[in-house]
Amino acid sequence: MAKIEIENVYKIFGDNPEAALARAMAGEGKDEIHSDTGHTVGLHDITLSMEESKTFVVMGLSGSGKSTLIRHINRLIEPTAGRIVVDGVDVLTLNDADLRQFRRTKMAMVFQRFGLFPHRTVIHNVAYGLEMQGVEKRHRQDKAAEWIETVGLAGYENSYPSQLSGGMQQRVGLARALCGDPEVLLMDEAFSALDPLIRSGMQDQLIELQEKLHKTIVFITHDLDEALKLGDKIAILKDGRLSQVGKPEEILLEPADDYVAAFVRDVNRARVLTVDVVMRPPSLRLTTENIDAALREMQGHRDDFGYVFDGDDFRGVITERHLRRAATTNGNSSVYDLADDSQTVTADSVLEEALPTILQSDTPVAVVNNDGEFRGVVSKRELIRVLTEHREEPDEAAQEPKRTGP
Amino acid sequence: MADSNWLIEFPALSRDTLRLLQRSIDETFREFSRSYGQALEDFFEPLLWFMIWFERLLLNAPWWLVIAVIASCAYLASRNWKMTIGVIAAFLAIGIFGMWEDTMRTVSIITVCTLLAIVIGIPIGVMMARYDRAQATITPVLDVMQTMPSFVYLIPVVMLLGIGRVPGVIAVIIYAIPPVIRLTNLGIRLVDKDVLEAANAFGADFKQRLFGVQIPLAMPNIMAGVNQTIMMSLAMVVIASMIGVKGLGQPVLKAITNQYFSMGLFNGLAIVAIAIVFDRVSQAYGHRIQKHRQVGH
Amino acid sequence: MRMSITAMAGAAVLALANIQPAAAADCGRVTIADMNWASAEFAAYIDKIILETGYGCEVELVPGDTMPTSTSMMEKSEPDIAPELWINAARTALDRAVAEGRLIYAAEILKDGGVEGWWIPEYLAAEHPEIKTVEDALKRKDLFKNPEDPDRGAFYGCPAGWNCQLTTANLFRAYKGEEMGFELIDPGSAAGLDGSISKAYERKQPWIGYYWAPTWILGKYPMVKLDFAVPHDKEHWNSCTALAECDNPKMNSWPKSEVYTVVTPRFAKSSPEGMAYLKKRGWSNKVANEVLAYMSDNQYTGEDGARYFLEKYPELWKNWVSADVAAKVKKAL
């Protein structure tokens, strides 16, 4: 079951949202409703499902409604219509006291402009969540000190936020969010205000932490590279409507509309896509130790190379030329020993890292997982196709993202 | 002939109508005073006893003890030896020039006025910051309180409560409370929305937001308001003495009526000295609690 | 009575001789000092109305105050009439001017004179008929309870800086106010003193303190003057009671302030009829208080006060003028 379910959420800003809601539900456009009623449609029929322990990224430009959306999850903003269910509980049914309890224990938030308390020292900022939970003082100070250590700010416990740089301040923000041990981490453009270099460092730190913590993270960003880097799943929001929801490679390789296509066009795919995205099953699996049997099998096939397996065990790649030479010089050799297993790439490495290996190899390179198990192969041609796809077919429509409404 | 007069002369209400109006307003007020005056007096009685008790405390305590207490307050607030010595010098000078008793009375009434202004003003300011409607209603009332000549409300206050300390304090507070209300409201409204949202997101309730975030962050503004309130109370002391408030105002008033130049000057300077002491100490305190604002990185 | 007969006779003669226009022409232009306090103000307007409508004078009011007006009258014969002059303020100079024929005293406009003293409200006097003198009152600190110190009585003194502050304080000592358990309260200002009276009156509370007449306060809130039990001792007054340094004040009482209408000989000569009127015109403090209270209640000017007086007290002012003049004034109202 999903951790967070957002169901048919509408948000309309204005004095009389109900009237405008009916029009929005009837399918009228945002501009039309605005010029007629003065109401702004912030979110239009959003339905999303966020898995436990995954990072869900909501991406969109400013005004797309992404910051509004994340504030619906902890009900800092109330929807005009729809349901928000966290752990099976409809958040909208909570009374004030329950809502506070929910915010104190279930989730924590990291803000674009940090939102630190300027009158509290770092340690008191970090301990704020525990303070709200009513944790006794000594205990929360200890816990806060641990987290300050974890984010690399040891020694700054008694500094005030104004004494820290932006990156350090956001580390405090992150520590503050994590210190209360929330199940859900809401990150609203958490790294957008930081310098590129520091931002990248923070992203790495978040990935590293997530590997240990397995929180459910909802991450808002306007930066597609960041979305692709962090997200297990990405939702693209435009003018308050969902354009596409999918895994990073789905977004990248199968953009649902022109808007998304225009977005992904300038992405450096080599840095974003991982090997497993372009990986295919091997065209020829050789499971025999015998050279002649292997040659026979290869001759009945269009390719002049094959991938050698000893049972489930991958032994390497071998070419027809190699086999023939071995047959003439040393007919008794085992195919298993002849196979070359020096050239492999790991499934979750990005293409950029795998690129040299793949390009230098004459045959498609075998892909293995972290435990060395064979997963598939990746060919030069496939690689080039994926990396250059969007340049081959310049699409006029994609130059200018069009409105996706009716 | 009379018909076109309104073009030249302002078509004012007739004298009889105006007279009727004034009479009915006066009569209504008198009626109110008859019906509720005693109840109001009873209501303010605890305040009266507190003021009398506090004034006696200051008057009966040995002068060196009073100076010692004031000086230590000044030091605790400012952590500044120079300022503390200045405070001691000012009060010694006041004593030497024979104005100790009147000064003690004035310090007592100013202290009570300031405490009351804070106790009443800050909650009102908080309410104004929380509800726009409260702000819309209260702001014009504050404008009236600040601009209405004080003599105008001195008369009804005296009719309700007689002359003496309580009406004096009320008159002073009416005049001096607007800054603390306005600046509390402003200070809280100026608190960074992001910070407040962060408190909300972590499940802070109204009290935790108010006392943990809004008031601490609004403190520089609130302190500026308190400071102005003290200054305005001191300015009002002379006027309050016109309804029988004892203190430095009375000799000043006497000096005005009789053109006793030096008497007016001495007592006026004593008021100035108290003002400077209160002003510097409260400002130093305001700065000190805002340490985190001054440091950069 | 003799006066009124003479006046009527004079009026009859004038009527028979039909020299009315001549008399009016004789009166000519008259200036009256319009003092800057309320009782003098309405007096000036009463004179203006009667002299204009009854005697055909052409009256101009000029602003005035005790010292400047009396000096100007003595030195320059301008203005012609000072309806309400408190002569204590300039007695020596005035007496000399009268002796030298530069000024003439007309009627004593305030028959009771200007009165200062210590008063209690009328309702309290009715309730406590035993309180007649200052000493009676000072025995009752329980009655005149001080709200800020219930063990003591409250005595509302004269505002700081006024002359009466000295006299009140000295008399308060002479009558042992402090020993009797009273606190002499400085009301700070006339407004404070008035406020304390109106507050007490509206709620029918006891009140004791200094005040003076004629004033609107005493018209609106009638009070009874307490008897000091001793006559005015002028010598002790001047040597002690009225001074700041008065080591051993004795019991004493305020003198009555004499308040006269003062006229220049020029006017007396040019308008003997008008002069005859001014020699009779005057009223009690009770009437003055009443008119002042009416003015104050309605926030009226001296002119309104004068008209109110002329309408309210015809039996009073008709004695000052001939029937003929009275008719003319009445018609003009």
Side-chain angles (χ1 to χ4, degrees):
Chain A
M1 198 180 84
K3 184 80 173 169
I4 302 169
E5 299 270 13
I6 294 172
E7 296 170 11
N8 306 103
V9 164
Y10 283 83
K11 176 64 191 178
I12 287 159
F13 295 102
D15 303 330
N16 183 16
E18 295 303 325
L21 176 66
R23 301 183 60 163
M25 282 179 158
E28 279 186 64
K30 181 174 174 161
D31 293 343
E32 211 176 326
I33 292 172
H34 184 76
S35 61
D36 282 4
T37 65
H39 286 69
T40 306
V41 180
L43 293 176
H44 187 108
D45 198 11
I46 304 292
T47 299
L48 286 173
S49 175
M50 301 173 180
E51 295 294 318
E52 177 142 25
S53 305
K54 299 284 185 197
T55 302
F56 191 100
V57 176
V58 179
M59 208 220 68
L61 298 180
S62 63
S64 62
K66 57 190 189 301
S67 285
T68 307
L69 178 63
I70 198 176
R71 280 165 176 72
H72 277 75
I73 298 172
N74 59 357
R75 237 177 99 189
L76 286 175
I77 296 178
E78 306 268 344
T80 311
R83 263 161 47 99
I84 292 134
V85 180
V86 177
D87 277 342
V89 177
D90 184 350
V91 179
L92 298 174
T93 61
L94 300 176
N95 62 26
D96 282 357
D98 290 343
L99 178 62
R100 279 198 296 274
Q101 206 50 38
F102 167 80
R103 287 173 178 167
R104 285 170 185 171
T105 53
K106 267 262 151 56
M107 44 185 66
M109 200 161 176
V110 183
F111 299 87
Q112 180 174 8
R113 278 183 295 276
F114 320 139
L116 300 179
F117 303 112
H119 59 300
R120 288 170 158 250
T121 56
V122 167
I123 194 160
H124 284 112
N125 263 288
V126 173
Y128 191 76
L130 290 175
E131 193 180 321
M132 291 300 107
Q133 289 174 19
V135 172
E136 173 250 343
K137 182 163 181 177
R138 210 169 46 82
H139 182 67
R140 65 180 193 239
Q141 299 285 84
D142 292 348
K143 196 93 185 290
E146 275 172 40
W147 275 106
I148 291 168
E149 174 107 42
T150 306
V151 298
L153 285 178
Y156 289 97
E157 286 83 356
N158 295 316
S159 305
Y160 285 101
S162 61
Q163 294 168 295
L164 306 180
S165 69
M168 291 160 95
Q169 290 192 38
Q170 194 58 303
R171 280 170 212 271
V172 178
L174 190 58
R176 178 176 67 175
L178 290 169
C179 186
D181 194 23
E183 296 165 32
V184 178
L185 205 53
L186 303 175
M187 304 186 72
D188 179 24
E189 301 225 33
F191 304 146
S192 300
L194 305 175
D195 298 338
L197 212 62
I198 294 165
R199 184 197 293 192
S200 156
M202 291 291 287
Q203 289 164 354
D204 294 340
Q205 185 169 34
L206 182 65
I207 291 168
E208 198 181 305
L209 281 169
Q210 174 66 350
E211 271 165 18
K212 276 184 282 180
L213 300 172
H214 305 293
K215 303 282 182 196
T216 306
I217 299 177
V218 183
F219 195 101
I220 300 289
T221 183
H222 62 258
D223 177 357
L224 186 60
D225 286 322
E226 187 170 62
L228 295 167
K229 180 170 177 183
L230 297 175
D232 293 314
K233 217 169 180 193
I234 297 172
I236 296 189
L237 213 55
K238 178 179 181 265
D239 288 343
R241 291 170 189 252
L242 276 178
S243 281
Q244 189 174 2
V245 185
K247 293 179 178 161
E249 59 271 19
E250 287 171 1
I251 302 284
L252 214 46
L253 300 177
E254 297 148 37
D257 56 27
D258 298 342
Y259 179 75
V260 180
F263 239 120
V264 300
R265 199 179 49 214
D266 294 329
V267 170
N268 183 348
R269 294 183 175 195
R271 274 198 200 156
V272 177
L273 291 177
T274 47
V275 170
D276 53 356
V277 175
V278 288
M279 160 181 96
R280 293 275 186 276
S283 52
L284 179 62
R285 289 172 83 105
L286 298 174
T287 50
T288 173
E289 206 175 353
N290 184 285
I291 294 177
D292 293 334
L295 269 173
R296 266 198 307 280
E297 239 180 288
M298 207 175 275
Q299 274 161 354
H301 199 267
R302 59 183 168 88
D303 286 334
D304 55 356
F305 53 86
Y307 297 85
V308 182
F309 290 86
D310 176 7
D312 279 344
D313 217 9
F314 176 60
R315 302 301 293 255
V317 64
I318 191 146
T319 60
E320 191 180 346
R321 201 153 46 97
H322 196 171
L323 272 178
R324 285 194 190 286
R325 199 175 341 139
T328 51
T329 57
N330 185 1
N332 293 330
S333 314
S334 159
V335 174
Y336 294 163
D337 298 334
L338 292 170
D340 175 11
D341 64 350
S342 63
Q343 301 289 308
T344 57
V345 290
T346 41
D348 61 357
S349 57
V350 293
L351 294 183
E352 196 174 51
E353 292 169 28
L355 211 55
T357 317
I358 298 168
L359 290 178
Q360 279 161 28
S361 168
D362 298 330
T363 56
V365 175
V367 179
V368 295
N369 66 13
N370 289 328
D371 299 329
E373 288 165 20
F374 181 84
R375 302 297 309 276
V377 299
V378 54
S379 68
K380 231 178 282 187
R381 186 189 301 157
E382 184 70 7
L383 183 68
I384 290 164
R385 187 186 69 74
V386 165
L387 289 181
T388 57
E389 189 177 47
H390 55 296
R391 296 204 188 96
E392 286 164 5
E393 35 180 321
D395 183 355
E396 280 303 310
Q399 301 280 347
E400 258 179 287
K402 270 194 198 150
R403 186 148 285 119
T404 51
Chain B
M1 180 178 101
D3 288 340
S4 61
N5 260 356
W6 63 271
L7 281 173
I8 298 142
E9 277 178 43
F10 200 92
L13 292 174
S14 79
R15 287 177 51 133
D16 284 346
T17 321
L18 273 177
R19 195 187 69 180
L20 206 68
L21 184 69
Q22 286 166 343
R23 282 190 81 126
S24 59
I25 293 172
D26 289 355
E27 204 38 62
T28 313
F29 180 72
R30 232 170 261 149
E31 198 52 54
F32 175 80
S33 159
R34 269 193 287 264
S35 324
Y36 300 105
Q38 193 54 48
L40 273 174
E41 265 185 275
D42 295 344
F43 174 77
F44 285 115
E45 190 143 313
L47 174 65
L48 178 64
W49 294 130
F50 174 72
M51 291 178 64
I52 290 172
W53 171 82
F54 190 59
E55 188 179 301
R56 286 202 183 139
L57 185 75
L58 284 181
L59 282 173
N60 294 339
W63 61 268
W64 47 267
L65 185 64
V66 174
I67 292 185
V69 169
I70 292 175
S72 30
C73 284
Y75 180 73
L76 287 177
S78 67
R79 296 288 151 90
N80 181 338
W81 277 114
K82 254 200 235 160
M83 186 173 290
T84 312
I85 289 165
V87 168
I88 295 172
F91 276 91
L92 284 178
I94 283 168
I96 288 166
F97 282 96
M99 297 177 291
W100 183 259
E101 225 173 87
D102 282 337
T103 302
M104 284 305 105
R105 292 186 202 280
T106 296
V107 167
S108 137
I109 196 166
I110 294 302
T111 311
V112 171
C113 286
T114 308
L115 288 178
L116 277 177
I118 290 171
V119 168
I120 301 169
I122 292 182
I124 294 178
V126 168
M127 194 171 77
M128 281 172 77
R130 188 164 155 79
Y131 303 106
D132 284 341
R133 181 167 296 201
Q135 175 174 256
T137 340
I138 295 171
T139 304
V141 176
L142 297 180
D143 294 338
V144 170
M145 284 161 73
Q146 278 188 301
T147 47
M148 180 73 85
S150 27
F151 297 100
V152 175
Y153 52 77
L154 280 181
I155 299 165
V157 167
V158 168
M159 279 199 69
L160 276 179
L161 299 165
I163 60 175
R165 293 176 180 85
V166 169
V169 163
I170 289 172
V172 170
I173 286 181
I174 289 176
Y175 180 70
I177 203 172
V180 74
I181 297 179
R182 278 184 209 277
L183 284 160
T184 302
N185 174 31
L186 180 75
I188 289 181
R189 279 175 185 265
L190 285 181
V191 167
D192 191 348
K193 294 280 170 298
D194 292 350
V195 175
L196 209 57
E197 190 178 46
N200 265 329
F202 281 96
D205 59 25
F206 173 73
K207 246 170 58 190
Q208 288 164 328
R209 273 199 310 271
L210 184 63
F211 295 108
V213 180
Q214 290 173 305
I215 288 186
L217 290 180
M219 216 49 186
N221 278 308
I222 295 177
M223 282 308 292
V226 169
N227 181 273
Q228 278 192 37
T229 290
I230 296 173
M231 295 300 109
M232 289 173 73
S233 316
L234 272 164
M236 191 69 188
V237 156
V238 175
I239 292 170
S241 69
M242 298 190 77
I243 52 170
V245 173
K246 293 177 188 167
L248 291 167
Q250 272 188 336
V252 170
L253 210 59
K254 197 168 174 176
I256 293 168
T257 347
N258 291 333
Q259 302 188 334
Y260 294 156
F261 173 69
S262 56
M263 185 191 216
L265 188 68
F266 282 178
N267 288 280
L269 284 176
I271 294 178
V272 172
I274 301 179
I276 292 176
V277 167
F278 273 94
D279 176 65
R280 296 299 185 276
V281 171
S282 65
Q283 279 198 17
Y285 177 67
H287 282 295
R288 215 169 55 74
I289 56 169
Q290 288 303 313
K291 260 203 323 221
H292 64 88
R293 265 169 205 274
Q294 286 137 39
V295 287
H297 42 81
Chain C
M1 201 60 201
R2 195 164 56 86
M3 298 264 263
S4 72
I5 290 166
T6 329
M8 280 199 295
V13 171
L14 287 174
L16 283 171
N18 197 19
I19 51 165
Q20 197 71 24
D26 280 348
C27 177
R29 193 172 159 278
V30 181
T31 49
I32 300 179
D34 181 12
M35 304 301 209
N36 56 9
W37 60 91
S39 60
E41 232 175 83
F42 84 79
Y45 274 100
I46 288 173
D47 288 352
K48 178 178 191 300
I49 292 167
I50 289 181
L51 289 177
E52 273 184 346
T53 58
Y55 298 96
C57 305
E58 191 188 310
V59 178
E60 190 192 343
L61 294 183
V62 293
D65 202 347
T66 308
M67 290 317 289
T69 299
S70 55
T71 313
S72 165
M73 284 175 82
M74 284 183 273
E75 303 304 327
K76 294 188 180 161
S77 295
E78 266 287 328
D80 296 305
I81 302 167
E84 185 184 313
L85 202 64
W86 291 59
I87 56 177
N88 275 352
R91 182 177 285 282
T92 335
L94 283 172
D95 282 350
R96 191 170 348 111
V98 169
E100 290 169 6
R102 282 184 285 144
L103 284 181
I104 301 170
Y105 286 129
E108 185 172 22
I109 184 168
L110 298 179
K111 302 286 182 225
D112 309 320
V115 180
E116 290 172 272
W118 293 353
W119 310 68
I120 59 172
E122 220 171 52
Y123 56 83
L124 195 73
E127 214 177 300
H128 296 276
E130 75 280 6
I131 301 179
K132 293 234 183 308
T133 66
V134 169
E135 285 176 300
D136 295 338
L138 289 179
K139 278 181 204 142
R140 297 296 308 275
K141 67 168 184 182
D142 57 312
L143 186 61
F144 303 99
K145 215 175 262 173
N146 180 358
E148 301 200 347
D149 187 356
D151 294 339
R152 306 176 69 194
F155 185 97
Y156 293 88
C158 173
W162 292 19
N163 283 333
C164 54
Q165 196 194 12
L166 299 177
T167 47
T168 297
N170 285 331
L171 287 173
F172 189 73
R173 276 163 65 206
Y175 284 85
K176 310 234 175 303
E178 187 119 15
E179 288 87 334
M180 304 298 283
F182 274 80
E183 185 185 348
L184 178 60
I185 292 172
D186 180 350
S189 62
L193 187 58
D194 295 354
S196 72
I197 293 173
S198 47
K199 181 207 156 206
Y201 228 95
E202 295 299 342
R203 285 186 232 155
K204 299 281 175 278
Q205 292 166 335
W207 185 93
I208 181 170
Y210 168 88
Y211 220 81
W212 67 99
T215 40
W216 66 267
I217 278 275
L218 292 181
K220 193 164 167 183
Y221 304 119
M223 300 224 263
V224 175
K225 187 165 161 262
L226 295 171
D227 192 349
F228 279 98
V230 290
H232 174 60
D233 176 350
K234 191 173 173 183
E235 196 229 340
H236 180 73
W237 186 272
N238 290 335
S239 65
C240 190
T241 314
L243 303 180
E245 294 87 21
C246 176
D247 293 332
N248 193 14
K250 287 194 298 187
M251 290 190 186
N252 207 336
S253 62
W254 263 280
K256 171 186 136 181
S257 292
E258 290 171 311
V259 184
Y260 276 82
T261 302
V262 178
V263 185
T264 57
R266 195 195 66 78
F267 173 78
K269 225 177 284 151
S270 73
S271 178
E273 299 86 359
M275 188 62 203
Y277 152 74
L278 288 179
K279 283 193 170 228
K280 278 179 261 172
R281 195 260 292 108
W283 43 73
S284 67
N285 278 349
K286 192 170 179 320
V287 170
N289 292 338
E290 209 266 330
V291 175
L292 289 169
Y294 173 79
M295 282 165 65
S296 151
D297 263 355
N298 297 304
Q299 301 170 12
Y300 270 1
T301 60
E303 185 172 6
D304 300 312
R307 287 186 187 280
Y308 170 76
F309 170 84
L310 292 172
E311 271 160 26
K312 178 99 190 270
Y313 297 101
E315 77 290 346
L316 205 61
W317 63 265
K318 275 181 181 159
N319 291 330
W320 308 334
V321 295
S322 66
D324 175 42
V325 171
K328 278 195 263 180
V329 172
K330 192 158 181 63
K331 200 172 150 221
L333 279 176

